[in-house]
Amino acid sequence: MACTTPGHPLRTPTLATVDGTTPSLRMVVLRAVQPEAYALVFHTDTRSAKWTQLDENPAASVLTWDPEQQIQMRFSGQITRHAPGSELANSAWDQLPPHTKETYAGAAPGGALEATSGTGKNAFGVLIFTAQTLDWLRLSRDGNTRALVDLATARMDWVAP
Ligand SMILES: Cc1cc2nc3c(=O)[nH]c(=O)nc-3n(C[C@H](O)[C@H](O)[C@H](O)COP(=O)(O)O)c2cc1C
């Protein structure tokens, strides 16, 4: 599984949110997959820009590249935020190793280096990305192939790459 295998290329996808009218991208660690819901689970600091952006607009996109399989996947969907103190954030926090907990105890991401407020668990949030569409592309010397999938209706169309 990508989310439990360090170094797996699908373990660090790119997550895009919307900052006003501007796309905002960053890499995140894939923490879990909920295949039946087409959902991906991420952890983040609730003082980060993405948390605020998602409050204003839950639209998101996730991009992966598997160099072995030569497959790009681009998902689009929506994110549900689970704030500090929520059941999901609490249970995820309890399973984090100490060194990961440490990363939430410092200054706010993007804030002044000296500004610390002893946050830790109070700044830990869980993001659940639920995909609605998948744009799947495989590169091959025999010919590239691309499919567009509507996950809600399970409709798939082969299209020109
Ligand atoms: C390989 C890698 C993995 C990362 N994993 C996460 C993550 O799981 N969660 C997270 O919030 N930021 C993660 N980051 C940091 C983000 O890419 C980003 O710099 C940070 O979250 C601030 O983003 P924002 O200001 O757009 O919210 C990771 C960065 C790298 C390079």
Side-chain angles (χ1 to χ4, degrees):
M1 275 283 279
C3 50
T4 53
T5 310
H8 193 292
L10 300 185
R11 190 160 184 259
T12 48
T14 298
L15 168 67
T17 51
V18 183
D19 181 9
T21 56
T22 308
S24 180
L25 295 85
R26 79 289 290 162
M27 296 179 78
V28 286
V29 174
L30 178 63
R31 300 291 175 173
V33 177
Q34 299 171 351
E36 68 290 341
Y38 303 121
L40 306 174
V41 181
F42 306 111
H43 294 169
T44 198
D45 193 307
T46 58
R47 300 166 296 168
S48 66
K50 72 181 85 53
W51 186 267
T52 308
Q53 291 161 10
L54 288 164
D55 185 34
E56 289 164 11
N57 187 346
S61 184
V62 171
L63 183 73
T64 65
W65 165 242
D66 185 334
E68 257 182 45
Q69 304 291 326
Q70 295 279 290
I71 292 173
Q72 170 184 265
M73 290 192 286
R74 178 170 53 183
F75 298 92
S76 68
Q78 304 240 318
I79 284 186
T80 308
R81 302 178 311 159
H82 295 263
S86 63
E87 198 178 332
L88 199 57
N90 281 343
S91 69
W93 176 265
D94 290 343
Q95 293 169 48
L96 291 182
H99 69 272
T100 305
K101 287 181 174 171
E102 273 296 306
T103 64
Y104 293 89
L113 283 171
E114 64 273 17
T116 55
S117 51
T119 40
K121 189 176 179 181
N122 295 334
F124 175 75
V126 176
L127 304 174
I128 309 269
F129 169 80
T130 302
Q132 283 143 7
T133 66
L134 165 62
D135 182 346
W136 182 95
L137 171 70
R138 184 172 64 192
L139 303 183
S140 166
R141 287 183 185 173
D142 300 330
N144 302 335
T145 43
R146 181 177 177 188
L148 301 179
V149 186
D150 183 331
L151 296 165
T153 60
R155 180 192 167 108
M156 186 191 80
D157 292 303
W158 292 106
V159 297

